[in-house]
Amino acid sequence: MAGKSPGPFPNCDWRFNEFPNPAAHALHVTCVELMALAVPGKDVGNALLNVVLRSQPLVPRENITAWMNAIGLVITALPEPYWIVLHDRIVSVIGSPALTSETEWAGYPFALLDFTACHQSYSEMNCSYVLALAHAVWHHSSIGQLSLIPKFLSETLKPVIQTEFQLLYVYHLVGPFLQRFQQERTRCMLEIGVAFYEMLQAVDQHCQHLSYMDPICDFLYHIKYMYTGDSVKEQVEKIIMTLRPAMKLRLRFITHSSKIETSTSAATAASASAASSSSTPQPPTSSLSSSSAAASPSSTQHSHTPM
């Protein structure tokens, strides 16, 4: 299957075989051997993830993505105790200093999350490895396995999200699968959309300054106009009202009420500026009244006598 000759399986007519091709046969026997091990499924799943996460010198760098896809195929074909350990790895990465402390990573966070660029420049980190491996595993997962992600976001990740880097990491983690959720499980798509806003609310309350409000808002607008629409308007509106003014200003088109509040605040600011300008010296009242009387057409109309 890797181009070697002779192949690992004898030549046969796969049309009349239990398995459709050699790859399916290899995947089946691999899973049988793993489940036959006298160790818990959690330990087997962690060992499979460690093939990429901790044994990088043993894996050819030019074939790292192929190894990740192989792990994704194997681990998703196993029962839940084997692949659910990936969630624990994601939680540990989100709680790592690289994402919890902004001083640990002074560069552009999107460069940190670009696995291909980091891998080619030999500057990859554990968080980028876990991100790429999670994408490989979830890409091969069934929709039933992916349906656990909304619960994972709301119950496990949301309580620990406090920084912008953590929020951006979660957006990068789940973002590539929104299209599949929208097509196969719309309910899960709506739950994920609400969870994204709840995480943003937690970050807004915890951080004194937000440096990446524009990319965050762009992503939320993308979700609204491409996937959710006004389906989560009521839940999202309550969250947006609690955000800082700069964030509410950027999200004013998500809900109509936020747009109205923004226009009201703008009108209040305009009236305040007009009140401050009233303290400046004004022309005499007589000159103003005379000029207004001269310019007013109604005064000339009242001077005419009816015919």
Side-chain angles (χ1 to χ4, degrees), residues 97-110 112-113 162-170 203 212:
L99 299 179
T100 56
S101 177
E102 297 182 0
T103 58
E104 294 290 335
W105 177 256
Y108 199 50
F110 300 102
L112 172 67
L113 303 177
Q162 294 182 343
T163 65
E164 272 189 300
F165 289 174
Q166 291 176 321
L167 183 66
L168 293 173
Y169 190 87
V170 174
V203 173
Y212 304 100

Side-chain angles (χ1 to χ4, degrees), residues 33-195:
E33 292 180 358
L34 291 175
M35 289 188 293
L37 296 175
V39 293
K42 182 178 181 180
D43 296 339
V44 176
N46 282 318
L48 288 173
L49 299 180
N50 289 335
V51 172
V52 173
L53 299 179
R54 296 187 180 180
S55 303
Q56 294 95 339
L58 303 179
V59 178
R61 292 187 61 86
E62 63 274 9
N63 298 329
I64 185 66
T65 55
W67 281 72
M68 287 184 175
N69 279 290
I71 293 174
L73 282 170
V74 172
I75 203 170
T76 54
L78 293 169
E80 181 177 342
Y82 291 85
W83 56 264
I84 201 66
V85 296
L86 178 63
H87 293 182
D88 299 332
R89 295 299 181 96
I90 295 173
V91 173
S92 63
V93 167
I94 289 181
S96 62
L99 299 179
T100 56
S101 177
E102 297 182 0
T103 58
E104 294 290 335
W105 177 256
Y108 199 50
F110 300 102
L112 172 67
L113 303 177
D114 189 351
F115 174 77
T116 302
C118 293
H119 187 70
Q120 293 176 351
S121 60
Y122 289 80
S123 59
E124 65 272 3
M125 300 176 63
N126 184 53
C127 56
S128 61
Y129 262 98
V130 173
L131 180 65
L133 183 58
H135 286 169
V137 172
W138 288 349
H139 175 76
H140 297 288
S141 298
S142 64
I143 190 60
Q145 295 169 332
L146 289 179
S147 298
L148 297 179
I149 292 181
K151 182 179 179 181
F152 174 61
L153 291 178
S154 59
E155 297 183 1
T156 306
L157 293 185
K158 187 178 69 174
V160 300
I161 298 297
Q162 294 182 343
T163 65
E164 272 189 300
F165 289 174
Q166 291 176 321
L167 183 66
L168 293 173
Y169 190 87
V170 174
Y171 286 177
H172 278 75
L173 190 68
V174 187
F177 304 95
L178 296 180
Q179 180 70 27
R180 187 175 178 187
F181 278 118
Q182 195 268 338
Q183 293 178 350
E184 302 182 27
R185 291 289 171 88
T186 306
R187 175 183 56 82
C188 293
M189 178 66 249
L190 302 181
E191 294 177 358
I192 291 174
V194 175

Side-chain angles (χ1 to χ4, degrees), residues 147 170 176 196 201 204 211 254 261 265 269-270 273:
S147 298
V170 174
F196 282 166
Q201 183 183 28
D204 182 78
S211 303
I254 296 293
E261 181 179 344
S265 60
S273 61

